[in-house]
Amino acid sequence: ADIYKANPDVKSGYYNIILTNGSIVTVYCDMEGINCDGEGGWTRVAYLNMTEPGATCPSGLTQTGYINITHDVCGRPNPSSGGCDSTFFSTYSLNYTKLCGQVR
């Protein structure tokens, strides 16, 4: 978000960011907000496209098929049990105020 705040006209793409420990990490930033809320400044912490050949769900989630979706998606191992399941994606020790996810 810092890059976006400094220059709102910047384009989406890969950027190097410096972590508090001084190491450099390359991340993808959605500067137009196309993939989330229409506002820019999003940093991708995970990418999962279940339409790609060989795609699998992260640990803690299972592949689930739905009648109205043409490909499998990741979901709870037992959806009838209610509640919520989760998985871990590294955020490089950065703090986030909003999260965004999509099923396509």
Side-chain angles (χ1 to χ4, degrees), residues 29-71:
C29 296
D30 174 5
M31 299 300 192
E32 290 91 14
I34 294 168
N35 296 305
C36 289
D37 62 357
E39 296 180 18
W42 289 91
T43 302
R44 180 189 295 160
V45 295
Y47 175 77
L48 180 63
N49 183 345
M50 292 303 291
T51 64
E52 293 177 350
T56 59
C57 295
S59 175
L61 301 176
T62 59
Q63 283 185 233
T64 307
Y66 292 91
I67 295 171
N68 59 338
I69 300 176
T70 59
H71 55 82

Side-chain angles (χ1 to χ4, degrees), residues 21-104:
N21 67 5
S23 57
I24 298 172
V25 178
T26 302
V27 297
Y28 180 84
C29 296
D30 174 5
M31 299 300 192
E32 290 91 14
I34 294 168
N35 296 305
C36 289
D37 62 357
E39 296 180 18
W42 289 91
T43 302
R44 180 189 295 160
V45 295
Y47 175 77
L48 180 63
N49 183 345
M50 292 303 291
T51 64
E52 293 177 350
T56 59
C57 295
S59 175
L61 301 176
T62 59
Q63 283 185 233
T64 307
Y66 292 91
I67 295 171
N68 59 338
I69 300 176
T70 59
H71 55 82
D72 285 349
V73 297
C74 298
R76 295 189 301 240
N78 184 4
S80 62
S81 67
C84 218
D85 288 305
S86 64
T87 191
F88 175 79
F89 294 106
S90 173
T91 60
Y92 305 110
S93 300
L94 299 172
N95 294 321
Y96 292 89
T97 56
K98 295 193 281 184
L99 295 174
C100 168
Q102 296 179 345
V103 174
R104 295 183 192 186

